[in-house]
């Protein structure tokens, strides 16, 4: 594989498992030094060790994106270890329980989802931007991990609101950072096979039939899109939301199934 990120320093939040882990592995495989930042410091260390065992460069840090001091320390660690910070991937999120009855939403669930998913991305971007603006050859980039939930209805009110806010933050930061050569984009995944679905595999099997491409996504599908948007291959792309969703945003299987049942 071509090492598009040779010499890069990359921070991926929520990188101990799932999409974050696959993304960190992709960057490391293409030559980057990757900081595995995760609330679960033990799991982060385990992932970083696995990447090093495969010949990549990776370090781990426990990071709570809901706390400014924790975020600032993680970004500083990346710069110290790798000597540069070129890419930030805002992947950490919180997703509370879905309530069919919106009146059951608690202030605590709502606030937690927004504080981690949306405000966490803000904190990380705020800390990283001064370094990204100094990245050589104007290669600084932020890639936010959104969701189809932020673009259409798939349940989980607070999580969806946070992901929708991340779409807006992507656009405004893209314009703000463009004069300094920093690009900001967002990948919006559909249903992805991650540890969050552990014990509920039958739901994934059922969900696959709703996707035009006939399957749910894998973490590597998202990692590939993130790597593209962070690379110089996307040098003239900023402020975009890229659905990586197996076509589900273009389908209306419920409506067509209802017609077929007539």
């Amino acid at each position: 594989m071509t090492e598009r990120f040779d010499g890069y320093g990359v921070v991926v939040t929520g990188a101990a498992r799932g999409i974050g882990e696959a993304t960190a592995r992709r960057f490391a495989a293409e030559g980057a030094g990757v900081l595995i930042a995760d609330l679960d410091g033990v799991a982060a260390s385990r992932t970083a060790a696995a990447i090093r065992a495969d010949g990549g460069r990776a370090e781990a840090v426990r990071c709570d994106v809901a706390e400014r001091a924790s975020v600032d320390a993680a970004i500083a660690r990346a710069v110290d270890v790798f000597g540069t910070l070129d890419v930030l991937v805002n992947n950490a999120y919180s997703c509370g329980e879905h309530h069919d009855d919106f009146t059951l939403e608690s202030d605590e669930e709502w606030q937690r989802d927004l504080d981690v998913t949306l405000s966490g991305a803000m904190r990380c971007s705020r800390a990283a931007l001064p370094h990204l603006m100094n990245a050589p050859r104007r290669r600084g980039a932020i890639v936010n991990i959104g969701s189809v939930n932020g673009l259409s209805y798939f349940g989980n009110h607070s999580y969806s609101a946070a992901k929708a806010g991340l779409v807006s933050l992507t656009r405004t930061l893209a314009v703000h950072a463009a004069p300094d050569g920093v690009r900001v984009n967002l990948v919006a995944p559909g249903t992805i096979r991650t540890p969050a679905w552990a014990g509920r595999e039958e739901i994934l099997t059922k969900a696959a039939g709703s996707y035009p491409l006939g399957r749910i996504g894998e973490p590597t599908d998202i990692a590939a899109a993130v790597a593209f948007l962070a690379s110089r291959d996307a040098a003239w792309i900023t402020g975009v939301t890229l659905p990586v969703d197996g076509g589900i945003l273009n389908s209306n299987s419920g409506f067509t199934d209802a017609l077929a049942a007539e």
Side-chain angles (χ1 to χ4, degrees), residues 181-196:
V182 178
R183 298 177 300 103
V184 186
N185 294 292
L186 181 143
V187 174
T191 307
I192 306 297
R193 191 189 312 276
T194 70

Side-chain angles (χ1 to χ4, degrees), residues 8-234:
Y8 279 53
V10 177
V11 171
V12 183
T13 66
R17 54 182 63 85
I19 290 172
E21 179 183 0
T23 299
R25 287 181 175 277
R26 179 66 183 250
F27 277 110
E30 294 201 48
V34 186
L35 185 71
I36 310 298
D38 201 283
L39 186 61
D40 187 339
V42 173
S45 294
R46 191 161 52 239
T47 297
I51 291 173
R52 291 194 297 270
D54 288 338
R57 292 187 298 141
E59 298 291 332
V61 64
R62 182 188 181 278
C63 179
D64 183 353
V65 299
E67 296 182 0
R68 181 170 187 172
S70 184
V71 167
D72 290 349
I75 296 299
R77 173 78 182 280
V79 174
D80 181 59
V81 170
F82 302 125
T84 181
L85 178 59
D86 304 281
V87 177
L88 167 67
V89 180
N90 285 312
N91 172 67
Y93 74 95
S94 173
C95 182
E97 181 182 356
H98 170 70
H99 298 288
D100 289 327
D101 183 351
F102 183 69
T103 65
L104 296 178
E105 290 276 335
S106 72
D107 286 2
E108 292 76 20
E109 283 182 317
W110 183 271
Q111 187 58 48
R112 178 65 181 171
D113 283 2
L114 266 68
D115 200 27
V116 173
T117 307
L118 178 57
S119 298
M122 178 278 291
R123 293 184 189 96
C124 292
S125 299
R126 179 177 60 194
L129 268 172
H131 304 287
L132 298 174
M133 289 174 175
N134 288 325
R137 301 191 301 279
R138 295 171 69 87
R139 68 189 189 190
I142 296 173
V143 183
N144 295 318
I145 305 300
S147 172
V148 292
N149 284 60
L151 303 173
S152 189
Y153 177 73
F154 292 92
N156 295 96
H157 304 290
S158 53
Y159 171 79
S160 299
K163 290 297 191 181
L166 199 52
V167 171
S168 178
L169 180 63
T170 297
R171 290 194 298 261
T172 58
L173 277 184
V175 175
H176 169 77
D180 292 290
V182 178
R183 298 177 300 103
V184 186
N185 294 292
L186 181 143
V187 174
T191 307
I192 306 297
R193 191 189 312 276
T194 70
W197 291 98
R200 298 183 293 163
E201 288 78 9
E202 73 284 354
I203 298 177
L204 297 183
T205 300
K206 184 181 296 185
S210 299
Y211 282 82
L213 287 179
R215 67 172 177 90
I216 62 166
E218 301 294 337
T220 51
D221 293 318
I222 307 307
V226 172
F228 164 68
L229 287 174
S231 76
R232 299 304 297 167
D233 293 334

Side-chain angles (χ1 to χ4, degrees), residues 235-254:
W236 213 45
I237 300 174
T238 195
V240 306
T241 290
L242 173 63
V244 182
D245 68 345
I248 198 167
L249 287 174
N250 295 315
S251 70
N252 192 331
S253 59

